[in-house]
Amino acid sequence: MSAVEAKLAELGHTLPAVVPPLAAYQPAVQSGVYVYTAGQLPMVEGKLPVTGKVGAEVTPEEAKDLARLCALNALAAVKSVAGDLDRIARVVKVTGFVASAPDFTGQPGVLNGASELLGAALGDAGVHARSAVGVAVLPLDAPVEVEIQVELKP
């Protein structure tokens, strides 16, 4: 078990299996020292635990928890190509999409679920740049989707 996975376990999380692609793409690809993940939905054992728009059917607190699941799925995707999460030199960028009710403006707070998990699991290497974007709808009516870019140690 890597130090990152041990830290996740200490935080009460288990790294899930890689979520299989829903269409024609790979969960993650490596280019040089960088790994780019596809957008990760908050899938748990092949299903979304909650669907709908944040600020309507889904509360911001629920959505923040879902963003955390997305980050765990993204780390699983990184591991699938990097082999070991301890190879992560730093998380460079996180992009998050929040399926939002028309008047919902709390996208940054929702994405804190992913950012806080990455920071807790990776320490300084988990501090990253980020975009939090509100959208009308996401695949499968998911409330949140997160993608990450990481730099690997040589």
Side-chain angles (χ1 to χ4, degrees):
M1 177 183 294
S2 71
V4 174
E5 288 178 84
K7 184 62 178 180
L8 286 170
E10 180 183 313
L11 296 167
H13 302 289
T14 302
L15 195 68
V18 177
V19 175
L22 299 174
Y25 62 88
Q26 293 297 312
V29 296
Q30 182 174 345
S31 180
V33 297
Y34 296 97
V35 175
Y36 302 84
T37 72
Q40 300 293 312
L41 300 178
M43 302 291 270
V44 176
E45 298 179 5
K47 297 180 181 172
L48 290 172
V50 179
T51 59
K53 306 292 181 283
V54 181
E57 302 88 0
V58 180
T59 69
E61 295 78 20
E62 289 172 314
K64 185 176 178 181
D65 289 340
L66 295 171
R68 189 174 296 110
L69 290 173
C70 293
L72 285 168
N73 288 336
L75 287 173
V78 169
K79 182 180 177 183
S80 75
V81 296
D84 185 342
L85 293 179
D86 288 346
R87 291 190 59 209
I88 296 174
R90 80 166 305 143
V91 177
V92 178
K93 176 82 186 267
V94 172
T95 304
F97 304 94
V98 180
S100 304
D103 60 345
F104 182 73
T105 60
Q107 292 83 4
V110 168
L111 269 293
N112 280 347
S115 294
E116 291 167 1
L117 175 87
L118 294 169
L122 294 157
D124 289 342
V127 177
H128 52 268
R130 186 181 82 188
S131 298
V133 182
V135 297
V137 68
L138 288 168
L140 305 178
D141 201 24
V144 183
E145 181 175 349
V146 173
E147 64 183 45
I148 68 174
Q149 300 168 8
V150 302
E151 180 183 1
L152 300 177
K153 296 172 185 170

